[in-house]
Amino acid sequence: PDLLPTCNGEITTMSFLQDVVDILLQYVVKSFDRSTKVIDFHYPNELLQEYNWELADQPQTLEEILLNCRTTLKYAIKTGHPRYFNQLSTGLDMVGLAADWLTSAANTNMFTYEIAPVFVLLEYVTLRKMREMVGWPGGCGDGIFSPGGAISNMYAMLIARFKMFPEVKEKGMAAIPRLVAFTSEHSHFSVKKGAAALGIGTDSVILIRCDERGKMIPSDLERRIVEAKQKGFVPFLVSATAGTTVYGAFDPLIAIADICKKYKIWMHVDGAWGGGLLMSRKHKWKLNGIERANSVTWNPHKMMGVPLQCSALLVREEGLMQSCNQMHASYLFQQDKHYDLSYDTGDKALQCGRHVDVFKLWLMWRAKGTTGFEAQIDKCLELAEYLYNKIKNREGYEMVFDGKPQHTNVCFWYIPPSLRGMEDGEERTSRLMKVAPVIKARMMEYGTTMVSYQPLGDKVNFFRMVISNPAATHQDIDFLIDEIERLGQDL
């Protein structure tokens, strides 16, 4: 009650915010301290009962509010911790954090130049630079920062459908033929989710077979396209993946582009995870052919370590997003403004309210330069190779697929001593299935590290180690292996 805009609230406000900043700074320092836990795990019901989280009629004191801040961070997962390997987005970048604070203080909406002048210009500059890196001449085209890769992929689907059947915007799905999309069996679930949301239906997403390394097989793609056309369906989109979620595989984009050209199908590349490799001279060959795509998803909040969330959809054809999505709301996008209306980008988005996501990326890029991002990414890939070399012939480990990983995903089984002599069979498989979940649960109870596991196809639960945290070192990789062995010895 004593904070601004209350009369004479300046002093109270300053000291309150100073206290908050102190709490945050302590948390930041702790995040990088290897002697602290990654997680102080409590079961949901424990956490609910331990504190009073309920909302009341009467206000609380500022002391209590500060306590709420401390408590929240006490149980937060330290996603910047050098031993947090659980998700594709890890790390805590200081310049990115500063940019996020500034964005929150500016507290504006991305829809018009009128109320977000600098942010709108930075989005324009940054998206153009990203399109240049994709390889489109002069960075031509269009784009938008959206709330995560799933939404970026959905935009691609929306725009591809509009390009082929513009009447769908007014008339809806009933006015057009039955559409089908194609993506690999290892692709992200958001492709099906987008099809469900857009009324295309998940049954209309045809999953293409992958080879043993998780890459889409182009001959199977072509076969399924021909098959769909014979049934009278209209293929409208192929979503290739550059960096799959589990294996970190890169689909063969050149072969896929040839097929898309032959059958006149929109080619989308979901580079949410692998797009960052475009920053690296050493690794960007893995995305050869991406310049032939009609649209690209690229999440700087993953491999590039930009604070969540920061996801870009890039579109090669300019003006298409606008005609696909615009509704000409006259109270927002007045046509008689006194500046260049092309900077009012809000009508090409699905959202009305849109958060400023670009500033974190832009400021980090200024602070590091492209070469800084390149060094950071190369280092993560080098660490993944170090892990692979360390465990590929080590007793008690089995790789899920042969050969060194293309991205920072390293997939492996830990085989406890009790299973090492057993021959392959149902008994061994069902016991192996339970190993990773138990080790993961113990990791979280101890709070020492976090790494993800999952089954895939006919393969039972295995660890998927991913590295995108610039703070990680060789010692952290060694620690992870020792920890898995310590926690799994007796299983």
Side-chain angles (χ1 to χ4, degrees):
D2 310 323
L3 300 177
L4 284 172
T6 299
C7 187
N8 300 327
E10 291 89 342
I11 295 166
T12 323
T13 301
M14 288 306 151
S15 75
F16 170 69
L17 289 178
Q18 197 60 61
D19 289 344
V20 173
V21 168
D22 290 343
I23 291 169
L24 296 178
L25 294 180
Q26 282 165 21
Y27 180 76
V28 167
V29 170
K30 263 192 186 157
S31 284
F32 295 101
D33 177 358
R34 287 176 172 76
S35 68
T36 64
K37 289 178 161 193
V38 174
I39 171 180
D40 182 357
F41 181 77
H42 286 61
Y43 287 95
N45 55 346
E46 293 176 347
L47 209 47
L48 270 176
Q49 284 155 19
E50 204 165 321
Y51 297 90
N52 174 21
W53 305 100
E54 295 307 316
L55 298 164
D57 292 343
Q58 298 308 313
Q60 290 195 311
T61 65
L62 288 180
E63 281 66 42
E64 289 171 304
I65 297 303
L66 289 169
L67 196 60
N68 294 155
C69 292
R70 283 198 182 88
T71 305
T72 302
L73 286 180
K74 175 171 159 54
Y75 299 107
I77 313 301
K78 295 195 190 80
T79 56
H81 196 290
R83 291 173 181 167
Y84 174 80
F85 303 111
N86 208 62
Q87 249 59 45
L88 301 183
S89 49
T90 62
L92 182 57
D93 186 276
M94 294 306 113
V95 174
L97 179 61
D100 224 352
W101 290 350
L102 183 145
T103 302
S104 292
N107 191 30
T108 193
N109 198 322
M110 280 301 284
F111 45 49
T112 61
Y113 179 84
E114 185 176 325
I115 64 163
V118 178
F119 296 135
V120 163
L121 294 180
L122 295 183
E123 186 167 72
Y124 171 78
V125 167
T126 307
L127 288 169
R128 188 182 60 202
K129 178 77 173 174
M130 292 171 85
R131 291 192 299 267
E132 254 171 51
M133 300 191 84
V134 165
W136 294 332
C140 69
D142 209 338
I144 197 111
F145 282 94
S146 84
I151 304 293
S152 293
N153 288 340
M154 188 170 88
Y155 266 117
M157 201 172 258
L158 181 73
I159 296 161
R161 177 176 72 177
F162 176 80
K163 173 74 178 169
M164 196 176 261
F165 295 103
E167 63 271 28
V168 73
K169 182 175 171 181
E170 286 82 18
K171 305 274 187 291
M173 286 297 280
I176 64 171
R178 168 84 189 270
L179 302 178
V180 284
F182 304 84
T183 190
S184 91
E185 56 188 356
H186 285 200
S187 70
H188 195 259
F189 67 84
S190 58
V191 180
K192 282 195 162 185
K193 195 169 259 208
L198 295 176
I200 292 163
T202 56
D203 286 354
S204 303
V205 177
I206 295 171
L207 299 182
I208 305 304
R209 291 218 324 276
C210 291
D211 64 16
E212 66 287 346
R213 293 288 307 260
K215 298 165 177 288
M216 188 195 289
I217 300 171
S219 59
D220 194 51
L221 172 65
E222 183 159 22
R223 185 178 70 82
R224 300 302 297 269
I225 288 171
V226 170
E227 213 173 77
K229 289 175 77 115
Q230 283 166 350
K231 290 180 180 160
F233 301 147
V234 178
F236 80 108
L237 171 121
V238 172
S239 180
T241 313
T244 58
T245 312
V246 180
Y247 281 8
F250 289 81
D251 285 343
L253 301 181
I254 294 173
I256 292 168
D258 289 343
I259 292 168
C260 288
K261 185 181 174 187
K262 180 173 171 182
Y263 295 97
K264 297 185 171 60
I265 304 172
W266 183 282
M267 176 180 171
H268 174 62
V269 175
D270 175 2
W273 174 221
L277 268 53
L278 291 169
M279 310 291 278
S280 162
R281 284 166 292 197
K282 187 177 170 188
H283 295 286
K284 67 176 181 195
W285 62 271
K286 295 165 188 175
L287 297 107
N288 282 350
I290 193 169
E291 69 286 347
R292 295 176 60 190
N294 299 95
S295 57
V296 172
T297 292
W298 175 357
N299 286 11
H301 71 223
K302 292 195 168 85
M303 199 62 207
M304 290 161 67
V306 177
L308 285 159
Q309 56 199 9
C310 186
S311 171
L313 174 78
L314 310 169
V315 182
R316 191 168 58 185
E317 185 183 326
E318 206 179 334
L320 196 56
M321 288 193 85
Q322 188 78 10
S323 39
C324 176
N325 293 326
Q326 70 184 355
M327 291 293 151
H328 304 291
S330 57
Y331 53 83
L332 198 53
F333 308 111
Q334 303 90 338
Q335 294 306 294
D336 45 10
K337 292 182 179 181
H338 64 295
Y339 59 81
D340 179 353
L341 294 177
S342 70
Y343 291 105
D344 282 3
T345 51
D347 219 7
K348 70 182 178 192
L350 282 179
Q351 298 163 269
C352 176
R354 192 160 68 88
H355 186 259
V356 177
D357 291 330
V358 68
F359 191 65
K360 299 170 283 200
L361 171 58
W362 180 83
L363 202 66
M364 280 172 67
W365 209 325
R366 296 281 283 199
K368 287 178 203 287
T370 306
T371 53
F373 273 126
E374 176 178 48
Q376 185 176 310
I377 287 164
D378 286 354
K379 180 190 159 192
C380 289
L381 280 133
E382 189 273 316
L383 282 178
E385 200 171 331
Y386 171 78
L387 170 63
Y388 167 72
N389 288 331
K390 187 179 165 98
I391 62 175
K392 65 177 175 187
N393 299 318
R394 188 183 178 99
E395 193 190 5
Y397 291 85
E398 268 178 40
M399 305 311 296
V400 174
F401 56 82
D402 290 333
K404 75 173 197 188
Q406 276 214 299
H407 206 347
T408 69
N409 309 50
V410 183
C411 298
F412 61 90
W413 287 283
Y414 172 69
I415 317 289
S418 69
L419 294 184
R420 284 175 204 172
M422 283 180 78
E423 74 266 19
D424 252 345
E426 265 178 45
E427 166 71 3
R428 183 179 184 273
T429 303
S430 74
R431 283 178 61 183
L432 184 57
M433 178 88 177
K434 300 186 181 94
V435 172
V438 173
I439 294 177
K440 172 70 178 266
R442 290 176 178 181
M443 271 177 187
M444 289 178 72
E445 296 278 354
Y446 281 106
T448 47
T449 183
M450 282 176 76
V451 60
S452 146
Y453 72 83
Q454 67 284 300
L456 186 70
D458 58 353
K459 295 175 168 61
V460 296
N461 283 324
F462 56 87
F463 286 111
R464 176 206 66 171
M465 170 70 180
V466 281
I467 304 160
S468 62
N469 188 343
T473 63
H474 294 94
Q475 288 84 347
D476 297 311
I477 306 294
D478 296 342
F479 175 86
L480 176 82
I481 293 306
D482 293 344
E483 195 64 356
I484 286 175
E485 291 171 4
R486 178 177 82 88
L487 298 172
Q489 272 305 322
D490 63 332
L491 294 178

